Amino acid sequence: MLNIGCHLSSSKGFESMIQEAISIDANTFQFFTRNPRGSKAKDLDSKDIEKFLDIFKKEKFRPILAHAPYTLNACSSDKRIREFALMTMKDDLMRMEYVPYNFYNFHPGNHVGQGVEEGINHIVDLLNEILTEEQTTTVLLETMSGKGSEVGSKFEEIKEIIDRVHLKEKLGVCLDTCHIYDAGYDIINNLDEVVREFDAVIGLERLHFIHLNDSMNQIGSKKDRHQKIGEGFLGLDPIVNVINHPKLKDCIFILETPNDVEGYGKEIALLRSLYKK
Ligand code: FE
Ligand code: FE
Ligand code: ZN
């Protein structure tokens, strides 16, 4: 069975998100833990969470993915900005324990001229400070396009971060098809080779989620502009090859294409029809 969902608005709470997901035949979803600008999170509603967990179990949902505000920068040169990322992520992880055994994804960040190595040092420090032995949440590093001074557009950079974190059993990776294509990984002509490289450098056992997006730009463009499935430079066939790849087909797929919920429903139906059991 294809495990697939999409990014949903969290403004109406967990029960509303899972109902919305069910209505478009999704068996997972992604949401922002708070406003992407990183403002204060809403208070948790225990009744809402209880109802959500009930449906989650009954419908045999796959794990869901919380996404950190993308404006956080764990590797800024400004200590206050790093501190803000740390406090926000720590708070998010505490809140994630109300929906235990799910996943939390974040962008490694921008090194803003300090260089990749210094950026990696900051990310490692942050992760070593926020991860706890008790947490049930797995934290995912997202593969990036390399826009600006983004860290994480090469598998080797992600690998180095994981290697240097003490509680590495709490870490994994979320691969974004638009980002890696924009970063220069040729998943149109060489998907097998890219998968082999991911396995050799990071290890496929770390790969839990795949953000399934087409790209508005060419390979290597480092732009990070998502396009609807089949309407970008990747095109439908390469994306269908991703969901059917023997080493990827058990991952959980999340659409982050420019769509409303109805549009997501159509993409999910299309991809389910092209998935080989
Ligand atoms: Fe992301
Ligand atoms: Fe993404
Ligand atoms: Zn993106």
Side-chain angles (χ1 to χ4, degrees):
M1 162 132 119
L2 176 62
N3 300 308
I4 190 165
C6 62
H7 186 90
L8 293 173
S9 161
S10 58
S11 62
K12 285 185 257 153
F14 280 98
E15 192 201 357
S16 157
M17 285 191 281
I18 198 164
Q19 297 289 16
E20 201 154 55
I22 291 167
S23 78
I24 53 171
D25 199 20
N27 59 345
T28 179
F29 60 88
Q30 173 179 276
F31 63 100
F32 283 128
T33 53
R34 60 190 76 213
N35 176 305
R37 298 275 144 212
S39 58
K40 192 175 169 290
K42 279 198 310 190
D43 289 336
L44 288 169
D45 174 348
S46 58
K47 276 266 173 320
D48 177 49
I49 288 184
E50 214 176 291
K51 281 190 208 143
F52 163 77
L53 289 173
D54 228 46
I55 304 168
F56 185 76
K57 273 181 220 133
K58 213 168 60 211
E59 298 287 331
K60 299 196 168 62
F61 253 57
R62 301 297 296 143
I64 55 170
L65 184 57
H67 196 307
Y70 51 77
T71 45
L72 296 185
N73 191 4
C75 60
S76 172
S77 55
D78 183 334
K79 192 163 186 264
R80 285 164 308 175
I81 293 174
R82 294 201 303 273
E83 196 70 19
F84 181 69
L86 184 140
M87 296 309 293
T88 305
M89 289 175 69
K90 208 173 186 171
D91 185 53
D92 279 351
L93 285 180
M94 192 200 72
R95 297 156 62 90
M96 284 299 289
E97 292 303 310
Y98 289 89
V99 288
Y101 300 101
N102 285 297
F103 291 78
Y104 178 73
N105 174 59
F106 79 106
H107 295 176
N110 290 274
H111 66 68
V112 287
Q114 305 166 92
V116 175
E117 272 312 307
E118 192 56 17
I120 288 176
N121 290 339
H122 291 315
I123 300 163
V124 168
D125 289 347
L126 173 135
L127 287 170
N128 277 330
E129 209 162 314
I130 64 171
L131 298 179
T132 65
E133 215 132 357
E134 301 77 40
Q135 73 181 66
T136 65
T137 305
T138 303
V139 174
L140 306 183
L141 293 137
E142 182 166 354
T143 59
M144 302 311 294
S145 69
K147 188 175 68 182
S149 63
E150 268 174 354
V151 177
S153 65
K154 296 191 177 77
F155 297 159
E156 287 78 6
E157 294 170 9
I158 305 262
K159 155 79 171 167
E160 189 186 340
I161 296 168
I162 295 172
D163 270 352
R164 291 173 50 196
V165 170
H166 305 311
L167 291 170
K168 44 176 79 51
E169 67 272 23
K170 305 290 182 190
L171 289 180
V173 176
C174 173
L175 187 123
D176 186 310
T177 54
C178 166
H179 296 178
I180 64 168
Y181 184 67
D182 286 13
Y185 290 98
D186 190 357
I187 55 175
I188 295 183
N189 301 301
N190 283 320
L191 179 62
D192 277 340
E193 173 55 24
V194 174
V195 172
R196 196 205 55 76
E197 194 178 332
F198 185 99
D199 195 26
V201 175
I202 299 175
L204 281 167
E205 68 284 356
R206 295 267 179 209
L207 182 61
H208 299 282
F209 276 82
I210 294 180
H211 281 163
L212 210 56
N213 302 309
D214 210 325
S215 174
M216 284 193 189
N217 294 286
Q218 275 287 13
I219 185 166
S221 62
K222 303 190 172 173
K223 286 276 209 272
D224 187 4
R225 302 274 314 276
H226 303 184
Q227 181 55 292
K228 291 181 181 159
I229 301 299
E231 295 184 20
F233 278 96
L234 276 172
L236 182 58
D237 287 349
I239 289 170
V240 170
N241 291 339
V242 169
I243 62 171
N244 284 312
H245 193 282
K247 295 201 163 154
L248 306 178
K249 68 199 306 267
D250 295 324
C251 286
I252 304 175
F253 298 94
I254 300 285
L255 297 160
E256 300 177 307
T257 46
N259 270 306
D260 53 16
V261 174
E262 195 192 329
Y264 279 133
K266 284 186 187 147
E267 291 189 341
I268 289 171
L270 172 68
L271 292 166
R272 285 204 185 286
S273 77
L274 297 168
Y275 184 71
K276 302 186 187 93
K277 281 162 190 94

